[in-house]
Amino acid sequence: MKRYTEKNVVITGCNRGIGKAMVEAFAKEGANIIACTRKLTPEIEAWYEELRREHGVEIHAVQVEMGDKESINAAIKAIFGLRIPVHVLINNAGIAHFDGLMKMQYETLEETFRVNYYGPLMLIKGLVMPMMKANGACVINMASVAGMDGTAGNCAYGASKAALILATKTLSKELAKPKIRVNAIAPSIVETEMSATIDSAIREEQLANTAISRPASTEEIARVVLFLASEEASYINGQILRVDGGM
């Protein structure tokens, strides 16, 4: 039997990069997916339909802007309307800004925290009840090594991920009684559109400091998420798992 047969998995940021790789990975393992995206294009909806047919799973598309409170509330309401338990919640959606202090704008800092920290926290809070119905659910937050290692240009993105890391550790204790595990994954450079926005000199320096000397693929990150969300990781709680190629 596939590991996630009859399990319901909420994933944010599903239209590209790591999120898209996770949708495919969980579908192959038999999971029904609530796919949360900013925009529902004909292309992404056609891809969802292809996954439904190929793997015999349900994929419920939910449109949400993670930096907007009303949009998050509407998404939570839509998920409640499905009347199903939520076994896994993966807070993957995020934005990146790497301006140094003197170039940073207040609006940039605010937007980064709204999307990368406030949104995930509100989504976790809103979905606690359907996760409790799963009788052993888990939350996985997509953090970053940028939230652990202080590097130039990370006052916005890195700080938002550091906040998410602390929330992960705190919520792992707050949600232990309702049997909800909370962990985070902290990748380094992953081959995505977001990583392409990193200054080339900074990117090359980070790769030079990585033992494996290459960025991770989205599929490699998705495989780690599959493990951390599974029963095989049932005693892992409150942890930040670095996936950095030996940085």
Side-chain angles (χ1 to χ4, degrees):
M1 180 180 288
K2 296 177 180 180
R3 279 189 287 179
Y4 290 93
T5 299
E6 298 183 355
K7 302 288 187 182
N8 304 309
V9 180
V10 177
I11 307 173
T12 67
C14 295
N15 62 324
R16 62 180 183 172
I18 296 171
K20 191 172 183 180
M22 287 192 293
V23 170
E24 186 164 13
F26 275 96
K28 285 180 179 178
E29 288 282 359
N32 299 316
I33 298 163
I34 299 94
C36 300
T37 57
R38 287 184 63 201
K39 295 179 181 179
L40 290 176
T41 64
E43 291 78 14
I44 198 73
E45 290 183 320
W47 183 60
Y48 290 159
E49 183 56 36
E50 181 183 334
L51 290 176
R52 291 184 188 103
R53 290 196 306 267
E54 184 176 354
H55 302 294
V57 300
E58 292 293 327
I59 299 183
H60 306 279
V62 175
Q63 198 162 0
V64 60
E65 170 55 69
M66 289 300 291
D68 182 83
K69 179 176 68 173
E70 297 306 321
S71 181
I72 293 170
N73 288 338
I76 292 168
K77 185 176 180 181
I79 295 169
F80 264 79
L82 297 173
R83 299 182 183 277
I84 57 175
V86 171
H87 298 87
V88 182
L89 166 60
I90 303 168
N91 279 308
N92 168 70
I95 57 173
H97 291 290
F98 300 106
D99 289 338
L101 178 65
M102 301 312 293
K103 290 183 178 180
M104 186 186 302
Q105 301 296 317
Y106 180 89
E107 292 77 13
T108 298
L109 186 61
E110 184 179 49
E111 180 189 28
T112 304
F113 268 81
R114 282 205 319 268
V115 175
N116 293 357
Y117 181 63
Y118 303 156
L121 212 60
M122 291 301 98
L123 194 59
I124 296 169
K125 178 183 177 183
L127 295 181
V128 164
M129 291 305 295
M131 283 192 283
M132 287 176 65
K133 291 180 181 177
N135 192 32
C138 74
V139 175
I140 298 174
N141 294 319
M142 193 58 63
S144 169
V145 295
M148 306 174 80
D149 304 335
T151 55
N154 257 325
C155 278
Y157 178 72
S160 70
K161 293 300 185 178
L164 190 61
I165 285 169
L166 182 60
T168 297
K169 294 179 179 180
T170 301
L171 294 177
S172 70
K173 297 173 176 62
E174 289 189 20
L175 299 179
K177 282 190 176 180
K179 297 181 181 179
I180 300 172
R181 293 186 298 117
V182 187
N183 293 292
I185 291 175
S188 54
I189 296 180
V190 184
E191 202 61 75
T192 63
E193 291 178 32
M194 182 184 290
S195 71
T197 66
I198 300 174
D199 180 88
S200 58
I202 295 175
R203 178 185 171 93
E204 290 306 313
E205 181 183 356
Q206 289 183 338
L207 288 176
N209 290 330
T210 302
I212 297 181
S213 302
R214 65 167 176 81
S217 70
T218 56
E219 291 78 14
E220 286 173 316
I221 304 301
R223 288 196 291 269
V224 177
V225 176
L226 280 174
F227 163 71
L228 201 53
S230 73
E231 287 299 317
E232 296 163 359
S234 59
Y235 202 62
I236 299 176
N237 190 33
Q239 301 304 306
I240 317 302
L241 181 56
R242 290 183 69 119
V243 187
D244 63 6
M247 181 175 282

